[in-house]
């Protein structure tokens, strides 16, 4: 019937929207990870596991202290939030 078809179309549309949102979140995460690796963790040799943890903590803290970097990694030209 037309009603069931309409509900299936709405469900499919919402599924596609949710899928796109997940993909965009993954893209932002990959950009974030690449930024941490490129700026703080690349081309290094670590002595042991604790050195890796310390380097990751230092990289995270440096990233968290740089709001401009966070904005550049997470912003999209097509996504503008206005009050």
């Amino acid at each position: 019937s037309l009603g069931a078809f309409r509900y299936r179309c709405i469900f499919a549309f919402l599924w596609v929207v949710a899928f796109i949102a997940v993909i965009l979140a993954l893209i932002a995460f990959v950009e974030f990870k690449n930024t941490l690796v490129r700026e703080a963790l690349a081309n290094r040799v670590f002595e042991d596991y604790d050195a890796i943890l310390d380097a990751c903590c230092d990289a995270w803290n440096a990233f968290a202290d740089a709001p401009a970097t966070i904005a550049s990694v997470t912003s999209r030209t097509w996504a503008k939030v206005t009050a």
Side-chain angles (χ1 to χ4, degrees), residues 9-30:
C9 289
I10 292 170
F11 176 77
F13 174 76
L14 292 176
W15 188 88
V16 168
V17 169
F19 182 74
I20 290 170
V22 168
I23 295 298
L24 293 175
L26 286 174
I27 290 170
F29 173 76
V30 168

Side-chain angles (χ1 to χ4, degrees), residues 1-12:
S1 75
L2 183 60
F5 177 74
R6 184 175 297 155
Y7 285 120
R8 277 189 238 131
C9 289
I10 292 170
F11 176 77

Side-chain angles (χ1 to χ4, degrees), residues 41 43-56:
L41 302 173
N43 301 322
R44 294 179 62 181
V45 177
F46 300 100
E47 296 286 328
D48 56 10
Y49 182 73
D50 289 332
I52 295 171
L53 288 179
D54 290 340
C56 289

